Amino acid sequence: MQSAEPETGSEADLARECVYRFMALALTSPYESNWPYLLNPDDQHLALEAAALLRDEADFRPDFLGFGELSPDNLDLGTLLTELNRPLDHIKVEYDRVFGLVIPKECPPYETEYHPTSHAFQRSQQLADVAGFYRAFGLEPSGAIPERPDHITLELEFMAFVLLKKRLAAATEEAGDEASERILVCEQAERSFVKDHLAWWVPAFATGLLRKAGGGYYHAIARALAALIPVERHRLKLPAP
């Protein structure tokens, strides 16, 4: 299939930022106070258009997909937005069934849960590396809602933040090396974070979430996530882990 003409870097990065932030919010607990932001029609439309831009731009090659990844045509937020129109109580029931009160074995939403349990040192090093990325950009998980740094929502939100920082640096009126250096730092961070963190475990999480959800809201999220990762790898020129 012939790919669409690639968008400019600024347009694609804005679309990526939007999709990452929307997916992060979509995976937060429906019991949290920020849930209503998902229901904003303008934000939903923007996320839908952003996903379509990235999907249409992607050059799909079946041999490029890694374990648990889905083709870019699955990066469609239409079904997800349809599910969001269901009553909140229905989504809460689905959330409780899928994630429950303890970490689900089928689809733990924490990166380090995907390391073999015998590799405790590797797990602690991975967790420290994630936290190190956040600190490098002046970020700390909110104390109001304590959460491990390797939670899926925080990692997705971090990518949105890095893309925001890059977009602001590119739009600055300052000329010269300073803005270029900030952009380079952001580009290196996004590539490293996808390579060392998101790319190796999010497809496995999405696979488990597809099975556990079986349909509905969280099934739609899982399909979009499983398609987002190869789209990102293709853009960042990263091999399957």
Side-chain angles (χ1 to χ4, degrees), residues 152-195:
I152 181 68
T153 58
L154 296 183
E155 294 198 3
L156 295 175
E157 182 63 32
F158 173 71
M159 278 296 296
F161 182 80
V162 172
L163 289 162
L164 170 63
K165 293 281 286 186
K166 184 170 75 168
R167 180 163 58 87
L168 293 177
T172 184
E173 295 181 358
E174 299 176 12
D177 296 336
E178 186 176 347
S180 298
E181 183 177 350
R182 290 200 299 269
I183 293 172
L184 179 61
V185 168
C186 291
E187 289 177 342
Q188 291 173 337
E190 64 178 288
R191 191 174 193 277
S192 295
F193 197 76
V194 172
K195 174 179 176 291

Side-chain angles (χ1 to χ4, degrees), residues 54-134:
L54 298 178
R55 182 181 66 246
D56 295 343
E57 181 190 21
D59 185 9
F60 172 48
R61 300 199 330 265
D63 61 326
F64 184 76
L65 296 178
F67 169 78
E69 295 179 345
L70 296 177
S71 60
D73 58 289
N74 289 279
L75 186 56
D76 186 348
L77 300 186
T79 302
L80 175 59
L81 296 182
T82 298
E83 292 293 332
L84 268 175
N85 289 326
R86 293 179 177 270
L88 179 58
D89 287 343
H90 175 85
I91 297 178
K92 287 181 176 179
V93 169
E94 286 299 293
Y95 178 85
D96 292 340
R97 180 180 66 82
V98 172
F99 293 108
L101 298 176
V102 297
I103 298 176
K105 295 181 179 179
E106 301 93 335
C107 52
Y110 299 95
E111 177 182 348
T112 52
E113 295 297 322
Y114 292 82
H115 282 293
T117 56
S118 59
H119 296 173
F121 177 75
Q122 187 177 9
R123 293 175 68 174
S124 63
Q125 287 294 102
Q126 195 82 349
L127 191 61
D129 190 62
V130 173
F133 270 98
Y134 299 166

Side-chain angles (χ1 to χ4, degrees), residues 10 17 25 63 132-133 174 183 212 220 228 238:
S10 59
E17 176 190 337
L25 188 56
D63 61 326
F133 270 98
E174 299 176 12
I183 293 172
K212 185 73 180 288
L228 176 62
L238 295 172

Side-chain angles (χ1 to χ4, degrees), residues 30 36 50 52 54 59 108 123 151 156 176 201 211 221 226 234:
L54 298 178
D59 185 9
R123 293 175 68 174
H151 192 276
L156 295 175
W201 80 277
R211 293 172 180 168
I221 291 177
H234 179 266

